[in-house]
Amino acid sequence: MAEASHHSSSRASPFSPPYDLVEHLRPALEADLDTIDQIHFVGPAPLQTLHRDPDAVKDLAHEKLYAYCFDQVPTCWRRCYEEASLWALLGYLERNDNGPYENRRKDWMAEALGRLDMIVIMTGAPGRRRLIESLLELLESCYADKSAAESAAGSLSNEVDEEPPTKKIRLSNGGGSFHMEAGSAAGSFPIPSIFPEVPTPLQPILSQPLPRLNRPSITTFRSQMHCKCNPVILTTTVPHWPALTRWRNPRYWMQRTHGGRRLVPVELGSSYTDEGWAQKIMPFGRFMEEHLLQSRRRNDKTAETQGSSIGEEEITNSDSRIGYVAQHDLLTQIPALRNDVAIPDYCYIDPLEETQQTNEHGRPGKRNTNDSSNHAHADDEESFSEPVDPLLNIWLGPANTVSPAHTDPHHNILVQVFGRKYVRLFAPEETTSMYPMGCDKAGEDDATSEAGVDMQNTSQVDVGAFVDFVEPSSGCPPSIDQASRRSEQPNGDLVAERLVSRRRRSQLTKRFPYFAEAYEEGRYVEAVLHPGECLYIPRGWWHYVRSLDISASVSFWWD
């Protein structure tokens, strides 16, 4: 095909894969694999089958991924899944581009993005990270061209003559509008220009408030880490972040996720210790509609009667459980979002080595560290090594998401981007009082669960039952009558939950007496984290976190 024809096909029609995507992918896959590539450890048979039947090799690698705990999967099988998925993607693009129109996927972009996202989510892209990022950049360019063309034309029917248009869903809000294709799985629900503020009927009482430091110097923060090693809130340290304004806009998220097509892992259930908790990979547009904007949908009486049949089906099949994108490296998966934040300088301070301690009541407690993640510098040679960037994770969800009391194997700076979160922390010396869980053993009849998951960093205690809330107007705890009146209001279920928690508190006090003692004596600290504030959590500190609003946070883990 001539060069002019190539550009005409790839640019004029946004509904067939651009040739440069195929031409970029095929040479990379056909090149000889490096002799030191871990993929060779899967054996010759899968490698010889990659070209002919990549789906079969992908299925084999998929089985191997689930044969181990996630952090113990051999790199060779992660590479095998990655390589087979890319070969399968190449075959899909070529079939979709050359086959008859009736056999083509109208939203090929969603399919391509989904396959690439699955590679990153399932494997971390151990060998083809740069290739995948370059493919995503090409898709980003194609999506931008497509969106610009649609805006200029006003309707797809006038934009493309040689192919029928895909079904359109118009999402309007006030003076502006947001367009998405049905393939984005965002239904017909209006996308606002800012996340709605859901009134929280109860406010937490802060009996043991955390100290705050206003933009401390590196020297001051190093002293905080090395001398006190206690949690502290850092204020006005990230005012330059574009995320503080951009991330409050749902339309910005939809734009950065290719109209909601990008896939994200979503935790379903208010807490990962709850019965019925599960994980599901879904398009971001669906997560946005069903979970982030769920409270808004409840009050929209026309939501189930407007829009396309696809939108109606998604409303019918939506999950009523709280959805939470938790501890996910979304900023690596979508590099454009990474440009909205900056690593705090404090994350490059070397922490001191932690030691086992005994608390003031004579019960042993220790910091929850492990040799693999404890990189305290012990000699001069290591002290002058190159700094390592921290691990970044994102936490995005509606109000009332809960992270049960747990410890992390790293020092952590948690930055609140928008919304508010309540946090309660207990020192490592309180480990015995927190009643850590043991090793989670999957049942023999449960083939989908992972056996032997170590849960010793998670407390058995429902710390939320010991959090006191008050009515903002009266300053008093809610009564049963107040709960009844407000049960139909946004977040009204939190009121009823507080009443249940009071009754549970007496039960938990008997079951966990050491924790009850720590609670009664005030051996904890707490805070409400507001937008733009940072919380430093030293390694080994137990922390319970609950969102009070639709919120987003970024955590920076380092050693």
Side-chain angles (χ1 to χ4, degrees):
M1 180 173 290
E3 182 177 353
S5 176
H6 164 96
H7 286 284
S8 175
S9 298
S10 63
R11 294 296 181 185
S13 173
F15 301 113
S16 60
Y19 285 100
D20 50 357
L21 197 68
V22 175
E23 292 177 350
H24 189 78
L25 181 56
R26 176 170 284 281
L29 294 180
E30 290 181 340
D32 292 337
L33 293 169
D34 197 309
T35 56
I36 62 173
D37 194 325
Q38 290 286 313
I39 196 173
H40 292 291
F41 288 101
V42 303
L47 297 182
Q48 294 170 2
T49 312
L50 265 177
H51 305 183
R52 301 192 310 271
D53 192 357
D55 286 323
V57 179
K58 177 183 171 184
D59 290 341
L60 172 64
H62 187 269
E63 292 179 4
K64 298 295 184 179
L65 293 182
Y66 280 93
Y68 303 86
C69 291
F70 180 78
D71 59 348
Q72 298 176 2
V73 176
T75 302
C76 63
W77 288 114
R78 293 192 290 117
R79 273 288 293 124
C80 186
Y81 183 94
E82 177 185 40
E83 200 74 8
S85 297
L86 288 172
W87 275 102
L89 172 61
L90 177 63
Y92 165 79
L93 291 174
E94 292 180 330
R95 290 192 303 272
N96 195 73
D97 201 34
N98 300 323
Y101 174 75
E102 59 270 15
N103 293 335
R104 300 187 193 182
R105 284 289 303 272
K106 292 184 179 180
D107 195 357
W108 66 269
M109 193 183 300
E111 179 73 18
L113 287 167
R115 290 175 181 242
L116 292 172
D117 280 334
M118 285 299 295
I119 296 173
V120 176
I121 293 170
M122 296 293 290
T123 71
R128 297 288 194 178
R129 168 69 66 178
R130 291 185 178 179
L131 174 61
I132 291 172
E133 288 181 352
S134 64
L135 294 172
L136 290 171
E137 288 177 0
L138 288 171
L139 287 167
E140 177 75 29
S141 176
C142 182
Y143 174 71
D145 291 348
K146 178 173 178 290
S147 299
E150 291 173 3
S151 299
S155 67
L156 293 179
S157 58
N158 296 327
E159 180 183 342
V160 182
D161 296 326
E162 66 271 24
E163 295 182 351
T166 55
K167 177 176 287 186
K168 289 290 293 182
I169 300 173
R170 184 175 183 85
L171 303 177
S172 61
N173 181 56
S177 64
F178 190 93
H179 294 76
M180 282 180 294
E181 292 182 6
S184 68
S188 59
F189 187 71
I191 302 295
S193 59
I194 190 170
F195 282 108
E197 295 184 4
V198 181
T200 303
L202 299 179
Q203 299 293 339
I205 301 175
L206 302 182
S207 301
Q208 307 292 331
L210 270 168
R212 294 171 177 264
L213 293 177
N214 183 27
R215 200 172 185 176
S217 66
I218 294 295
T219 301
T220 300
F221 184 76
R222 181 185 291 112
S223 175
Q224 173 73 26
M225 286 186 64
H226 292 180
C227 300
K228 299 180 180 178
C229 202
N230 289 330
V232 65
I233 290 180
L234 312 175
T235 60
T236 64
T237 58
V238 293
H240 56 289
W241 276 22
L244 295 178
T245 54
R246 291 176 180 173
W247 288 14
R248 297 172 63 239
N249 185 347
R251 298 180 187 178
Y252 179 77
W253 286 96
M254 298 301 293
Q255 177 189 11
R256 288 306 187 194
T257 57
H258 293 259
R261 294 174 176 88
R262 298 300 298 270
L263 298 183
V264 290
V266 178
E267 297 184 0
L268 297 174
S270 62
S271 167
Y272 66 78
T273 56
D274 288 352
E275 185 177 355
W277 176 90
Q279 289 178 300
K280 187 174 184 179
I281 296 175
M282 66 177 65
F284 187 89
R286 181 176 174 184
F287 169 68
M288 171 74 74
E289 178 180 350
E290 294 185 1
H291 300 287
L292 290 182
L293 300 178
Q294 184 179 25
S295 58
R296 184 180 172 94
R297 280 174 70 239
R298 287 173 181 167
N299 297 328
D300 191 337
K301 301 301 182 181
T302 63
E304 296 188 16
T305 58
Q306 293 181 346
S308 68
S309 59
I310 292 180
E312 292 168 5
E313 178 183 353
E314 286 178 353
I315 290 172
T316 302
N317 296 333
S318 63
D319 198 309
S320 60
R321 291 173 292 181
I322 290 179
Y324 195 19
V325 175
Q327 196 176 322
H328 176 53
D329 191 4
L330 187 64
L331 304 185
T332 296
Q333 183 184 349
I334 306 178
L337 292 173
R338 176 64 180 81
N339 297 329
D340 293 337
V341 305
I343 298 174
D345 292 341
Y346 308 121
C347 296
Y348 295 104
I349 297 177
D350 291 333
L352 292 178
E353 178 83 34
E354 291 93 346
T355 57
Q356 185 143 356
Q357 301 180 7
T358 300
N359 65 23
E360 61 184 285
H361 298 277
R363 293 192 296 274
K366 63 183 181 65
R367 300 187 185 277
N368 192 341
T369 62
N370 55 61
D371 293 339
S372 64
S373 63
N374 187 1
H375 304 301
H377 294 199
D379 52 45
D380 292 340
E381 180 179 354
E382 193 172 359
S383 297
F384 291 98
S385 61
E386 289 293 326
V388 178
D389 286 342
L391 302 174
L392 278 66
N393 283 305
I394 199 168
W395 311 76
L396 177 66
N400 300 328
T401 57
V402 172
S403 292
H406 66 285
T407 64
D408 295 322
H410 311 277
H411 290 267
N412 181 13
I413 286 182
L414 179 68
V415 182
Q416 189 66 15
V417 180
F418 68 86
R420 300 167 301 146
K421 284 184 173 175
Y422 170 82
V423 187
R424 179 173 291 188
L425 304 101
F426 298 82
E429 300 89 272
E430 301 294 343
T431 293
T432 301
S433 302
M434 299 306 296
Y435 296 87
M437 292 184 177
C439 193
D440 180 30
K441 299 184 181 297
E444 296 180 359
D445 57 344
D446 186 1
T448 62
S449 58
E450 298 179 359
V453 177
D454 189 353
M455 298 284 287
Q456 294 183 77
N457 75 323
T458 303
S459 172
Q460 299 180 55
V461 184
D462 178 11
V463 175
F466 293 82
V467 178
D468 295 312
F469 286 75
V470 297
E471 285 277 351
S473 58
S474 66
C476 301
S479 65
I480 295 178
D481 290 339
Q482 289 172 322
S484 177
R485 290 196 306 270
R486 304 187 70 162
S487 60
E488 298 301 323
Q489 297 182 12
N491 249 3
D493 53 346
L494 182 58
V495 180
E497 180 186 328
R498 288 302 97 198
L499 296 176
V500 174
S501 294
R502 289 188 209 166
R503 293 190 288 268
R504 288 201 64 215
R505 185 180 301 183
S506 61
Q507 300 172 352
L508 295 173
T509 297
K510 297 176 182 178
R511 184 180 175 188
F512 305 111
Y514 286 164
F515 178 85
E517 178 183 299
Y519 166 72
E520 293 294 340
E521 296 180 1
R523 303 203 305 266
Y524 60 87
V525 288
E526 58 189 343
V528 172
L529 201 59
H530 295 271
E533 294 183 339
C534 308
L535 170 62
Y536 167 58
I537 307 176
R539 177 166 48 203
W541 274 72
W542 295 86
H543 49 288
Y544 164 91
V545 185
R546 179 169 193 144
S547 62
L548 302 177
D549 310 297
I550 301 173
S551 68
S553 313
V554 180
S555 61
F556 297 85
W557 284 359
W558 86 99
D559 297 302

